[in-house]
Every structure is written in C-alpha cells, then in structure tokens.
Amino acid sequence: MGQSFPKVKIIAVGKIKKDWLKDGIGLYIQRLPEIEFLEIKDTDPDTEATKVLGVLKTYDKLIVLSEDGKHYDSVAFSQWLGQEASGALVFFIGGPTGVSYHLKHKAYQVLSLSAMTFPHEVARLLLLEQLYRGKTILQGGNYHK
C-alpha cells in the first residue's frame, strides 16, 4: 500500500500556445485528474504575486518555482510530497519576466526543477511529469523504474 499524495493546485502565468506542449500537458492532466489548475494573465511579477496571494487559502502551502530554489531528485521529491500529504500544495510557475521577490519571500518553499532556466510553458510540463512520477513512486507503481 502506497503513501498519500497531497492536494495539489498549480497556478501558472499565461496560456500554453505550442501544440506539442498542450499535448504533453494534456497527457499528465489525464493522469493526475485530482490536480487543480489556475491560469493567470501575464502581466508583471508584482501584479502576478498579488493575484496569487489573493487566491491562497489559509491552509495552502505556496511553492514557488525558480531556478534558484531547492533541488530534489525524483525519489526525494516524492518523499517530500508524501510528507506534505496533510496540506494543500500550491505550485506557482511565473511568467517570462520571472517571479516577484515578495512572492518568493512569502513562499513555504522555493523549488527548482533544474539549475537550468526553462521557458515557463516547459516548466509546466516538467512539473506535471515530476508530480506524476512522485505519485507513482509513493504508490509503488512501475512508471519510475
């Protein structure tokens, strides 16, 4: 019997425009139907931060994605997800102009998908894949192997 997967919401700036990314993201959305999504308009980092903070509930744990955040390998990330199963994790993927310092300061954790910088649309796909991988690891599935 596997570990619990936390309640997850992803807030992302902008719409996905490239078909190949829409297809990949769609695949992981099908595999993770429990994840909630919110897209916000691409403006500036401070306006985006205000919008994100305005939709958070008191029990939400904000996880900001940034190249200068904490690094996990896939197994450690899944273990972290399992430990956070009692809360609601809200992952924020900023737009092309980055993430507000104010929002990073308010975050429960700043997380990095890689030391490399990716377009925000690609980061969305990578996050979904790692969430799916983490869920299958927690549940003892074969996807990770």
Side-chain angles (χ1 to χ4, degrees):
M1 184 171 200
Q3 289 182 277
S4 295
F5 187 72
K7 179 178 164 103
V8 173
K9 181 176 191 172
I10 297 174
I11 302 174
V13 173
K15 300 234 180 251
I16 301 298
K17 296 177 180 110
K18 295 174 179 81
D19 287 339
W20 65 273
L21 282 168
K22 286 180 186 177
D23 292 344
I25 289 167
L27 172 71
Y28 288 106
I29 289 172
Q30 288 176 347
R31 292 179 179 184
L32 295 164
E34 66 270 32
I35 292 183
E36 184 182 345
F37 275 90
L38 174 63
E39 288 182 339
I40 61 174
K41 186 176 168 80
D42 184 358
T43 55
D44 63 84
D46 290 330
T47 303
E48 294 160 4
T50 300
K51 184 156 227 167
V52 169
L53 292 172
V55 299
L56 292 178
K57 297 180 176 95
T58 55
Y59 58 86
D60 288 341
K61 296 175 181 176
L62 178 64
I63 314 300
V64 173
L65 269 64
S66 176
E67 67 271 4
D68 60 352
K70 183 170 181 161
H71 292 261
Y72 289 104
D73 64 27
S74 295
V75 172
F77 181 62
S78 71
Q79 291 168 343
W80 178 77
L81 287 171
Q83 293 169 356
E84 297 296 334
S86 63
L89 301 178
V90 178
F91 290 87
F92 175 66
I93 302 170
T97 55
V99 176
S100 162
Y101 170 79
H102 176 68
L103 195 61
K104 285 183 184 180
H105 182 69
K106 294 256 185 194
Y108 174 71
Q109 186 168 136
V110 179
L111 175 70
S112 176
L113 296 172
S114 170
M116 296 178 185
T117 302
F118 296 106
H120 62 285
E121 294 175 319
V122 173
R124 197 179 311 191
L125 176 61
L126 292 173
L127 175 60
L128 280 167
E129 192 283 333
Q130 285 300 299
L131 287 168
Y132 180 71
R133 184 177 296 272
K135 181 180 176 180
T136 60
I137 291 170
L138 287 173
Q139 295 176 344
N142 291 325
Y143 178 80
H144 181 65
K145 297 176 181 170

